[in-house]
Amino acid sequence: AVAYVFDGLTRFTPDAKVVSGLARAWDVSPDGITYTFHLRSGVKFHDGRSFSANNVVSSFQRVLDPATKGGRGWPLYPIKGAEDYAAGKAKSIAGLAATNDSTVVITLKEPFSIFPKLLAMPVTSIIPDNPAPDFGQKPIGTGPWKFVEWRRDDYLRFTQNPKYRDGAPKSDSFMARIIPEMSTATAEFEAGNVDVLNVPDEAGKSWLADPAKKKLLTSAPALRFWYVAMNTTRGPFTDVRVRQ
């Protein structure tokens, strides 16, 4: 749902390529340390406020602020001074600056070629300055959809952003329903009450064997990663030889 409401400086395409988002372009210094992002003009938040470089700085500061306690600011850690700021050791982020309303200059600790990909992560989405205390319940972004209503454990409703930079969505509105039981969600989809569903593997296999239902299925590559984490502070995993 983050991508419905918010934009980042960059974004992923469905085939996992990184393209421009709120940054129309960017330059990288020969040593791979300094990134200069040139921002789009005329972009507005859903509440009518104009987007500018200061919003990028304040959004990143908010993510890294120790008081936020989000714990997910790691995509910004390659920025010089970001970890010190997150740890409460610095009052500003040394490698982050808005040089004018349409330019953000980011200096890294060291060359990191995948940095633009990190800026496409949901946590680096750009929000307006001074968000309201209930911002988490009533989000405001620059994305293609405007938040309308959240009925807990039932649905989220959105309406189109007619001024979206890439053109307004083709539908006037949409509802994201919250259906915890997958069997119920599948039944609702089959009944025509849900238009799009991430079909579970077992249902998908049975539908593939049914010519009528097979027509309902489409597949696409998924952008995901899997890993196994070891707690290095407990049991045998405290021994580096075991981990090796």
Side-chain angles (χ1 to χ4, degrees):
V2 172
Y4 300 155
V5 178
F6 300 99
D7 287 315
L9 292 182
T10 62
R11 65 181 178 86
F12 288 114
T13 63
D15 58 354
K17 293 181 179 178
V18 175
V19 296
S20 61
L22 288 174
R24 58 179 174 79
W26 58 90
D27 305 316
V28 187
S29 61
D31 61 4
I33 295 290
T34 303
Y35 285 73
T36 302
F37 291 90
H38 307 283
L39 309 183
R40 295 180 186 273
S41 61
V43 176
K44 292 186 179 297
F45 289 98
H46 299 153
D47 61 359
R49 284 184 280 177
S50 296
F51 159 73
S52 74
N54 287 331
N55 297 124
V56 177
V57 174
S58 62
S59 294
F60 289 2
Q61 288 175 332
R62 180 175 182 268
V63 168
L64 293 166
D65 189 338
T68 301
K69 298 180 180 179
R72 295 183 178 273
W74 61 265
L76 297 174
Y77 282 179
I79 301 175
K80 184 179 180 180
E83 287 188 90
D84 284 343
Y85 184 81
K89 298 177 181 179
K91 294 183 179 181
S92 63
I93 303 170
L96 179 63
T99 56
N100 56 50
D101 286 348
S102 61
T103 308
V104 173
V105 178
I106 296 178
T107 304
L108 307 185
K109 295 180 293 185
E110 59 187 5
F112 196 47
S113 62
I114 68 167
F115 182 64
K117 292 186 176 181
L118 298 183
L119 296 183
M121 301 287 281
V123 73
T124 63
S125 298
I126 308 305
I127 69 171
D129 290 344
N130 304 312
D134 62 349
F135 186 79
Q137 314 303 314
K138 299 177 181 179
I140 297 171
T142 61
W145 296 98
K146 295 181 179 181
F147 171 82
V148 175
E149 180 187 13
W150 178 7
R151 183 166 293 181
R152 290 187 175 278
D153 301 322
D154 193 355
Y155 64 80
L156 292 96
R157 190 186 300 277
F158 304 86
T159 188
Q160 68 165 221
N161 176 6
K163 298 181 180 180
Y164 188 57
R165 56 182 173 78
D166 286 342
K170 295 180 180 179
S171 176
D172 291 335
S173 64
F174 85 94
M175 178 189 294
R177 293 182 57 189
I178 301 168
I179 309 175
E181 292 294 331
M182 186 52 68
S183 59
T184 303
T186 302
E188 286 287 271
F189 181 79
E190 291 180 306
N193 298 326
V194 174
D195 296 306
V196 179
L197 176 70
N198 187 7
V199 181
D201 289 344
E202 290 307 311
K205 291 175 183 178
S206 64
W207 287 11
L208 284 172
D210 184 328
K213 293 180 179 179
K214 184 176 181 179
K215 294 186 293 184
L216 299 174
L217 296 175
T218 60
S219 62
L223 180 62
R224 62 177 62 180
F225 63 90
W226 301 92
Y227 63 90
V228 175
M230 293 182 289
N231 188 336
T232 60
T233 66
R234 297 180 61 184
F237 293 120
T238 59
D239 189 330
V240 66
R241 295 170 300 175
V242 173
R243 300 198 300 271
Q244 290 173 339

